Amino acid sequence: MKRKSNKSKKNTMELEQIKSTLIVWWVAMLCLMGIGFISIVHIQYKALSNDEIVRLNNIQIEEKKNFGDDEYPVEVPTYNTTINGSKYDFYTLDPTTEVTDEKIYTNKELIEDNGIISILKNAQYLSDSYSKNDKKIITQLALWIYNGYLDKEEKDIVLNGTFGSQISSLVKKAKEEDYKQSSVVLSTNTPTISLSKDKKYYISDLINLSFSNEFTVVNYQINLHNAPKGTRIIDKNGKEITDISKVKSFYLKIPEKNVKEKNKDFSISVTVTTADYYTYAFRTLVNKSQEADVLLNDLRVSLNKTNNSISLYIPKETQQSLFGQSTILGFLALCVTSAICGIVILIINIIQTQKQIRRRKRKKQRKTKK
């Protein structure tokens, strides 16, 4: 009876343990599902809150200001609109464009003109000593001059006026800067690395780094692949370069003792992050000309990565050992495993032998009692 009672208690405890485990797993699953649901809702809300801008309306027009003179007036209005709860400024590409609060601009087009992108980009860095409205006027006048819409007299008056130097700087940069995506090239005269005179290091030939367009380069990183331990990037004076982003040519310095058969061939690569700037212009449905009506002051940027690599070779004669390091390690691991298995088998045999001895003793004892 006692044995049955103990067995019953044991079964009951095991059932309770199983129930507790199932409850814990169930709660954990609910928590994971809840976290997943909250994440999905958050992502969906974020996507909805960043609606794409597809039209301009609800336009507010500020009072025009004359930046010319009575003979050659240059009147500059400023505009803004509210989209998805946020306020945006916009500009006209042509001073003769009429903007009213009743007009709706629904035809959207991508702006790829380097000059326009340059003006919007560099206008963001105008001194804070200018008011927000002054910055908008400077940007608008720079756009008109860049697009060639002010005649000589109007242009001279504007550039000799209050904001002349700032406008002139924006227009100058607009004509010089190029925002096409940049490619990168790593090059060297020879991929073979030579031993130094003291025979302690291998020194590469000069490695050059060049970009097709540095205006769009955000940053870049040099990476060594399968290079010998202790490989350093140095300048022409043999000094180690810690900030590679400030140089366009360098050498590699490799300790001779670290060159093995497995790392005689290696490569060096550069990964470049470039910025792709873009914005949008809009026009009304009735505008069928080549140029849009208004330009949204919403310069955006997408980051892209590009890379280039070269292979290098160290002409060092290395002895190939009969047993490599991996072979020796494998053999040692096999020996250790075999030893452990042998010990386990021995222990099992000893336990089984002891059990057999005990059984025999019990049998003898039972026979003696009889």
Side-chain angles (χ1 to χ4, degrees), residues 194-294:
S194 306
L195 190 63
S196 61
K197 290 181 180 179
D198 60 9
K199 298 185 178 181
K200 291 182 179 180
Y201 296 94
Y202 278 94
I203 308 295
S204 73
D205 198 9
L206 184 67
I207 298 173
N208 294 302
L209 175 63
S210 60
F211 304 100
S212 62
N213 181 21
E214 290 194 29
F215 276 116
T216 57
V217 174
V218 178
N219 58 53
Y220 55 92
Q221 183 178 3
I222 299 291
N223 300 296
L224 294 167
H225 307 279
N226 194 44
K229 185 180 178 181
T231 300
R232 298 287 182 266
I233 297 173
I234 61 171
D235 61 19
K236 63 181 180 180
N237 299 316
K239 187 178 178 181
E240 184 176 356
I241 299 170
T242 54
D243 187 2
I244 192 66
S245 64
K246 294 183 179 178
V247 295
K248 297 295 187 298
S249 59
F250 54 88
Y251 300 84
L252 294 182
K253 184 178 182 180
I254 305 164
E256 191 277 339
K257 63 181 181 180
N258 293 341
V259 178
K260 311 296 180 186
E261 184 65 30
K262 64 181 180 180
N263 57 28
K264 285 169 59 176
D265 292 277
F266 68 98
S267 64
I268 181 171
S269 68
V270 57
T271 301
V272 183
T273 302
T274 58
D276 183 12
Y277 295 95
Y278 63 99
T279 190
Y280 292 98
F282 292 81
R283 66 175 73 207
T284 60
L285 291 173
V286 296
N287 181 3
K288 305 298 181 185
S289 67
Q290 292 184 349
E291 188 175 75
D293 293 308
V294 296

Side-chain angles (χ1 to χ4, degrees), residues 9-134:
K9 283 181 180 178
K10 189 178 178 181
N11 290 338
T12 305
M13 286 174 68
E14 286 178 352
L15 284 171
E16 289 297 326
Q17 235 177 359
I18 292 168
K19 285 180 183 178
S20 300
T21 306
L22 287 172
I23 290 168
V24 169
W25 275 103
W26 182 70
V27 171
M29 287 297 293
L30 281 178
C31 290
L32 287 171
M33 288 172 66
I35 292 167
F37 177 76
I38 291 167
S39 301
I40 290 167
V41 169
H42 174 71
I43 293 167
Q44 190 175 24
Y45 172 76
K46 192 174 180 182
L48 290 172
S49 63
N50 291 329
D51 286 341
E52 184 184 358
I53 298 170
V54 295
R55 57 190 279 155
L56 303 185
N57 58 353
N58 301 321
I59 295 166
Q60 295 180 357
I61 306 169
E62 296 183 17
E63 185 179 353
K64 292 182 181 180
K65 290 187 178 180
N66 183 11
F67 284 84
D69 56 23
D70 293 336
E71 186 177 0
Y72 300 103
V74 181
E75 295 183 337
V76 184
T78 52
Y79 314 100
N80 63 71
T81 180
T82 302
I83 306 168
N84 301 328
S86 299
K87 195 173 182 180
Y88 292 86
D89 299 318
F90 64 89
Y91 305 101
T92 59
L93 295 170
D94 182 344
T96 62
T97 301
E98 292 184 1
V99 178
T100 65
D101 53 6
E102 293 90 8
K103 284 188 176 181
I104 298 175
Y105 300 91
T106 54
N107 281 12
K108 177 181 178 182
E109 53 199 74
L110 182 68
I111 292 295
E112 298 178 314
D113 187 297
N114 287 325
I116 292 174
I117 289 171
S118 172
I119 290 171
L120 292 182
K121 177 176 176 286
N122 290 302
Q124 297 174 1
Y125 304 107
L126 288 169
S127 172
D128 288 334
S129 61
Y130 298 105
S131 68
K132 184 179 179 181
N133 200 54
D134 288 344

